[in-house]
Amino acid sequence: MQRGAVGCIWLYALASVLLPLGLFGLHALGPRWFFPALLPDSLSLEPLLALIGNPRTQAALGLSAQVALLVTGLAVLIGYPAARALTFAPLVGRGVILAVLFLPTVIPPIAIGIGLNSLMLQLGLAGTLIGVCIVHLIPVLPYVILTLSSMLSRYDRHYEEQAQVLGAGAWQVWWLVTLPMSLPALAVAALFAFLISWSEYLFTALIGGGRVITLPVLLFALVAGGNPTTLAGVALLIVAVPMLAILLASRLLGGGPQVVGVR
Amino acid sequence: MTTLTMHNLTLRYPRQATATLADLSLAVASGELVVLLGTSGSGKSTLLRLIAGLLEPTAGDIRFDGQSVRALPAHRREAVLMFQKAYLFPFLSVADNIRFGLRVRGVAREQQRIAVQQMLALVELEGLECRFPAQLSGGQQQRVALARALVTQPRVLLLDEPFSSLDTSVRRSLQAAVRRIQRETGVTTVLVTHDLEEALSMADRVALLLDGRIAAYGTPQQVYTRPPTLAAARFLGITTFVAGTLHGCQLTTAAGVWVLGAASACAPAEPPRPAVVAIRPEQITLHPTRPADLPNCVLGQVQEQSYRGDVIEYLLKVAGLPEAVRVRRPTSDAPDPIGPEVWLHLPPAALWEVRAG
């Protein structure tokens, strides 16, 4: 029974991720792979290294990192107080606020993207890094707030009261208790923010207007070029960074004693 | 050493019919351990939160050494509250947890180190300073929490059912430790519990809190043997109440005329008035035949009897009394077998008048 389930999961992983990735890997490493051949006639790292050395790729990589990191920072800065208010403050109409907050995840991005484009044009933010970052917050914030508030709802505020009666003022409570207790939740939320922003194509293309060329935008541009080797290489680059981020996060979150703070 | 007084404290939440705490006044002497005893929802934890400054009263005042502390925020009140759970900061070692209160006050590192060692010795946990909370047992966690609370030498120590989540044996040893440490440090302490035995064994004085009011306040003996009101007496396990007309020392009831109290305490000058008297179940004695020279004897029929280990409990029907009388008799007395009918003797000194409410 259990073995069957594990088998299904592997099959799913194979079909959805491993197989396409494997194909991309072969494409990226084997530039000479033509039709009837079952496999490329030779494999080499050279095309991949050339791609990484390419200034266009490097610029896109740098820009993607900049955007994703900025969005992550902004999302956590906005999302944490919002989640705290939604969890703890005596709010009227909490349900309505949550519904509005999740609207962007329900509405097709293409539908709002055009409107956003003209709004950003009026604000003079179209085609700018900041404009792209702001628009990325639309799909990112709901996930960040949901992650944080679900963690916060299990967070026991007695720890803060305990610190208070022991003599800690508001800032000391925040710095010495609240922040360390919230770190695991913040890390998970930040990871989500980074991943969503990193793989965002549509909003970047619409608002960036061809001037903010992140990796996904570059990838779409390359599709038209039709060189499978470059295409596969860029795709692998896009995948590699989130993989590294998840590995790093699971390392950081896995062993620590912090999770005990959750009731 | 600090005296703690509460003056007409009231706490009322908006849209709530009855006040959580109603016009409550209580004085705790310096160095005293007062136990607040009450059912859940009686407002005892709320009272601790008010004293600690985590909650604002609707009206009334709280004073330390006669000076109002209402304007002081929780972190400057020097009243440390310990909760039911230890709430040790999970990301800090035992030593770092204990020195938390000194750290936020900016005490020098060397002094912190010395104080931590003193506290670890006080709570008998030497050598565990590098452990993390998750590596400690429940009892050890509460000891660390106690050390953390005492390291700042608070004016008032507030304990909110700190033993209720522990196993019996651990609870006993921690109760003894808290009582010893409280005496050693002389810190004015208020402990909240719903456990009668814990209250009686630990307290200098017991305050019985019922429905947001102090129903009785005195030494454990006073509160246990002479609860002044009907509700307080019920809480303390008394079930026998007899209504009648009191004139001086004589109570005329449907079950006969009884004498009560010591003769000196009687006031024969007063006109007769309706009154309710109470008696503890272990103070009634049972006799196979009518005792010749004893007052207050009534005949009862045994309805039920149950063996409770240290005592046998009887429920006896007495003509004229609406409710069966509960009697507890120690098994060690090797009591004579009780027939279906038995004489009950209610010693005059064991009867006292209780007020309604």
Side-chain angles (χ1 to χ4, degrees):
Chain A
M1 182 71 199
Q2 212 169 359
R3 288 178 64 145
V6 173
C8 281
I9 291 172
W10 273 110
L11 201 65
Y12 174 75
L14 196 72
S16 64
V17 181
L18 298 178
L19 217 56
L21 269 185
L23 268 177
F24 267 157
L26 288 177
H27 266 301
L29 301 174
R32 302 183 53 76
W33 186 12
F34 302 114
F35 169 55
L38 208 57
L39 285 171
D41 52 359
S42 67
L43 292 180
S44 92
L45 274 175
E46 223 166 284
L48 200 59
L49 291 176
L51 181 76
I52 293 171
N54 183 330
R56 231 174 115 204
T57 325
Q58 282 179 355
L61 189 66
L63 204 58
S64 265
Q66 258 183 63
V67 170
L69 288 175
L70 255 171
V71 168
T72 303
L74 282 173
V76 169
L77 278 181
I78 301 169
Y80 183 76
R84 225 179 136 85
L86 278 170
T87 316
F88 297 133
L91 284 177
V92 204
R94 191 191 312 268
V96 178
I97 298 174
L98 279 173
V100 170
L101 206 60
F102 282 89
L103 225 46
T105 60
V106 187
I107 293 175
I110 191 78
I112 42 172
I114 310 294
L116 275 173
N117 189 23
S118 67
L119 180 70
M120 284 305 186
L121 274 172
Q122 278 174 25
L123 292 173
L125 289 171
T128 66
L129 185 77
I130 273 301
V132 169
C133 287
I134 291 172
V135 174
H136 274 200
L137 284 174
I138 295 172
V140 163
L141 268 180
Y143 289 100
V144 167
I145 294 176
L146 181 74
T147 313
L148 287 175
S149 56
S150 82
M151 295 252 191
L152 282 174
S153 65
R154 285 180 292 154
Y155 172 70
D156 194 339
R157 296 192 79 191
H158 279 102
Y159 285 102
E160 289 171 19
E161 292 185 336
Q162 187 66 75
Q164 238 181 312
V165 295
L166 288 168
W171 279 109
Q172 287 174 318
V173 170
W174 156 253
W175 181 246
L176 297 173
V177 178
T178 315
L179 190 63
M181 300 279 291
S182 313
L183 270 184
L186 286 174
V188 172
L191 186 66
F192 269 129
F194 184 86
L195 294 182
I196 295 168
S197 171
W198 179 265
S199 51
E200 181 61 49
Y201 163 71
L202 192 66
F203 280 143
T204 318
L206 280 172
I207 308 305
R211 266 175 292 173
V212 182
I213 301 182
T214 59
L215 276 181
V217 176
L218 181 67
L219 182 67
F220 268 80
L222 289 175
V223 171
N227 179 345
T229 307
T230 337
L231 207 58
V234 173
L236 280 183
L237 261 183
I238 293 182
V239 175
V241 171
M243 288 294 182
L244 278 177
I246 289 173
L247 267 179
L248 197 73
S250 64
R251 265 290 165 77
L252 284 176
L253 294 176
Q258 285 95 330
V259 199
V260 202
V262 165
R263 182 161 44 184
Chain B
M1 301 288 255
T2 305
T3 61
L4 162 66
T5 49
M6 285 146 260
H7 303 265
N8 309 98
L9 268 187
T10 300
L11 181 75
R12 186 185 292 278
Y13 290 108
R15 291 194 300 273
Q16 197 187 37
T18 54
T20 308
L21 293 173
D23 207 24
L24 182 146
S25 296
L26 191 69
V28 181
S30 175
E32 196 178 25
L33 192 159
V34 164
V35 171
L36 273 177
L37 178 65
T39 52
S40 55
S42 61
K44 38 191 207 316
S45 299
T46 307
L47 185 56
L48 288 197
R49 295 176 70 83
L50 285 174
I51 301 170
L54 293 173
L55 210 59
E56 270 284 297
T58 316
D61 201 6
I62 298 163
R63 295 181 196 152
F64 292 178
D65 283 332
Q67 297 222 305
S68 176
V69 293
R70 269 198 68 177
L72 288 179
H75 70 279
R76 293 184 41 215
R77 222 172 251 204
E78 297 175 75
V80 179
L81 177 57
M82 244 179 85
F83 298 100
Q84 200 165 338
K85 260 180 67 184
Y87 289 111
L88 300 180
F89 304 121
F91 46 87
L92 294 180
S93 69
V94 165
D96 287 344
N97 262 290
I98 294 176
R99 68 187 186 89
F100 185 89
L102 301 175
R103 188 173 159 204
V104 295
R105 282 174 177 77
V107 171
R109 277 264 290 219
E110 184 54 24
Q111 268 175 282
Q112 289 184 16
R113 206 186 54 76
I114 296 168
V116 166
Q117 289 309 320
Q118 281 172 349
M119 284 300 133
L120 280 168
L122 189 68
V123 298
E124 298 166 325
L125 287 181
E126 291 107 325
L128 295 189
E129 49 267 61
C130 295
R131 297 268 185 98
F132 277 84
Q135 299 167 304
L136 301 177
S137 71
Q140 287 173 329
Q141 291 190 10
Q142 283 294 15
R143 281 173 190 262
V144 174
L146 185 65
R148 180 178 64 175
L150 289 172
V151 77
T152 58
Q153 298 176 335
R155 302 177 75 181
V156 174
L157 178 65
L158 307 165
L159 307 168
D160 191 354
E161 308 222 17
F163 316 116
S164 62
S165 57
L166 304 171
D167 296 336
T168 314
S169 62
V170 181
R171 176 163 51 214
R172 292 266 155 77
S173 86
L174 198 61
Q175 282 170 347
V178 165
R179 194 63 252 231
R180 169 181 61 80
I181 290 165
Q182 194 272 337
R183 290 224 170 89
E184 274 174 33
T185 54
V187 59
T188 306
T189 304
V190 181
L191 183 144
V192 152
T193 183
H194 61 267
D195 181 341
L196 179 60
E197 200 187 316
E198 182 173 297
L200 297 175
S201 64
M202 293 193 70
D204 290 320
R205 282 197 284 176
V206 175
L208 182 59
L209 192 65
L210 296 175
D211 299 323
R213 288 166 203 278
I214 301 286
Y217 188 34
T219 64
Q221 288 92 331
Q222 283 168 350
V223 170
Y224 187 73
T225 56
R226 289 286 184 273
T229 69
L230 205 61
R234 284 224 170 86
F235 183 87
L236 294 165
I238 296 161
T239 50
T240 304
F241 302 98
V242 182
T245 309
L246 187 68
H247 187 213
C249 275
Q250 292 213 319
L251 182 78
T252 310
T253 71
V257 178
W258 294 354
V259 187
L260 78 141
S264 58
C266 297
E270 273 183 53
R273 60 184 172 86
V276 176
V277 298
I279 186 163
R280 290 210 65 88
E282 66 273 16
Q283 290 186 308
I284 301 172
T285 56
L286 298 179
H287 308 267
T289 54
R290 181 176 185 132
D293 48 355
L294 293 179
N296 303 357
C297 289
V298 289
L299 188 64
Q301 277 89 36
V302 178
Q303 279 189 331
E304 259 176 54
Q305 73 180 67
S306 60
Y307 178 72
R308 301 284 172 95
D310 52 343
V311 293
I312 298 180
E313 194 172 289
Y314 299 92
L315 274 180
L316 300 147
K317 180 77 193 129
V318 173
L321 299 185
E323 276 182 82
V325 176
R326 204 157 60 90
V327 178
R328 288 166 79 88
R329 234 184 158 196
T331 40
S332 57
D333 284 2
D336 328 311
I338 300 280
E341 283 204 332
V342 68
W343 285 91
L344 290 76
H345 167 55
L346 298 81
L351 287 165
W352 78 99
E353 186 184 352
V354 290
R355 297 191 309 271

